[in-house]
Amino acid sequence: MKIRTHYDNLKVSRDAPPEVIRAAYKSLTQKYHPDRNPDPQAAKIMLHLNEAYEVLSDPEKRDNHDKWIRFEEWKAAHRVDPKKNSHSHSHSHSHSHSHSHSHSHKHRPLQISGGKKSR
């Protein structure tokens, strides 16, 4: 499973320099601006473009996003296939597992593809 990132939304590589990110953002926002694009999804796409640019144009936010991507990739690479795992996971534990994650679902950007609905 490939995760969607802000880089995907702006159609740039993960090592893109700031000027490439800025140029991609400007180009895509002109294409998807609701005043210029009659697609009903244009406003939603603009929100994702704005969020992507906000994150990728800020070095600290970009670094955090890159860490999130690496973590998601690591999880995907180390995921155990439940069909191949015959070990039961119904053990009871006396302590609770609390998994806090600093990234919310908003870091899973919407796929932007030529004005068509995607999700």
Side-chain angles (χ1 to χ4, degrees):
M1 177 181 91
K2 182 181 183 329
I3 59 170
R4 295 292 305 173
T5 70
H6 292 308
Y7 296 102
D8 296 323
N9 281 352
L10 291 181
K11 302 178 191 290
V12 298
S13 67
R14 283 167 55 175
D15 61 350
E19 57 273 7
V20 169
I21 291 170
R22 187 172 30 262
Y25 171 73
K26 287 178 77 171
S27 173
L28 289 168
T29 55
Q30 288 176 6
K31 179 179 179 179
Y32 289 103
H33 194 282
D35 290 345
R36 296 182 180 186
N37 190 324
D39 186 319
Q41 291 293 307
K44 187 173 185 177
I45 291 170
M46 282 296 297
L47 289 174
H48 288 280
L49 292 173
N50 289 332
E51 180 181 3
Y53 185 69
E54 178 185 339
V55 170
L56 298 181
S57 64
D58 179 291
E60 187 175 337
K61 290 178 183 178
R62 183 176 179 175
D63 184 54
N64 286 334
H65 185 61
D66 290 345
K67 288 175 184 173
W68 173 80
I69 293 169
R70 287 191 298 273
F71 178 70
E72 290 298 315
E73 290 172 339
W74 181 89
K75 282 192 329 187
H78 293 87
R79 187 165 289 138
V80 176
D81 185 349
K83 295 174 191 165
K84 294 180 182 179
N85 186 3
S86 61
H87 181 72
S88 173
H89 291 288
S90 60
H91 303 292
S92 67
H93 296 285
S94 60
H95 61 282
S96 69
H97 292 281
S98 175
H99 297 286
S100 64
H101 196 277
S102 62
H103 297 284
S104 68
H105 70 299
K106 73 179 186 175
H107 285 286
R108 293 182 216 145
L110 174 72
Q111 180 176 351
I112 299 171
S113 59
K116 295 177 186 169
K117 288 184 182 178
S118 60
R119 220 22 192 186

